[in-house]
Amino acid sequence: MRVVSGIVTTSVSTEAEYPVGEKFMVSQPAADTQPQEWIYVKAGAGLAQGNVVARANGSTTCSGVVVAGADAAGKIVGVAQHTIALNSFGFVQSKGIGEVTADGSATTANAAIMTVASGEVSTMTGGNEHKVIGLATEAITSGLATCFINCPGA
């Protein structure tokens, strides 16, 4: 993992600017916050801000990542913090405070969040511990929720 300052994590390009799959750490992105980790990917589908992002079925790489379904956490590489068009290259956040799209069933503040359908998250329910990718820091019914993201598949 490269520790860098000055990296533009919102950069999106049709040509690779970094090695796909490489992880980067941005130290203290804002006052009084911990570092964030980002992974460089090639989008195999259009990604919107807040989408949970997974390796494509059968893939072991970060080339062709897709919007996640109700996948096991080990398949999840990160969460898009901005739009990345199909076949474009960009960064998704794999660890730290970021925005995640909550489904209509809501997130509960200070509760574990799990992957559900369409790249969204919800408060973890019993028997779904294998889908946990972070912790909600606020309660929200739907839309973007601020969460601590920790994607083990990155």
Side-chain angles (χ1 to χ4, degrees), residues 63-147:
S63 184
V65 296
V66 296
V67 174
D71 294 309
K75 188 176 175 184
I76 307 302
V77 297
V79 179
Q81 296 300 302
H82 53 275
T83 300
I84 303 175
L86 171 66
N87 292 323
S88 292
F89 298 85
F91 291 97
V92 295
Q93 187 178 352
S94 58
K95 190 170 187 177
I97 299 293
E99 299 295 313
V100 182
T101 301
D103 76 345
S105 64
T107 61
T108 304
N110 300 311
I113 55 171
M114 65 178 197
T115 59
V116 292
S118 303
E120 299 174 332
V121 298
S122 183
T123 298
M124 188 200 73
T125 56
N128 287 298
E129 292 81 3
H130 63 289
K131 298 178 184 177
V132 172
I133 62 160
L135 179 80
T137 62
E138 65 180 344
I140 189 166
T141 301
S142 63
L144 293 174
T146 301
C147 297

Side-chain angles (χ1 to χ4, degrees), residues 20-22 39-44 54-56 59-65 77 89 153-154:
V20 172
E22 187 162 359
I39 190 162
Y40 196 68
V41 300
K42 180 179 181 185
R55 287 183 176 83
S59 176
T60 59
T61 72
C62 292
S63 184
V65 296
V77 297
F89 298 85

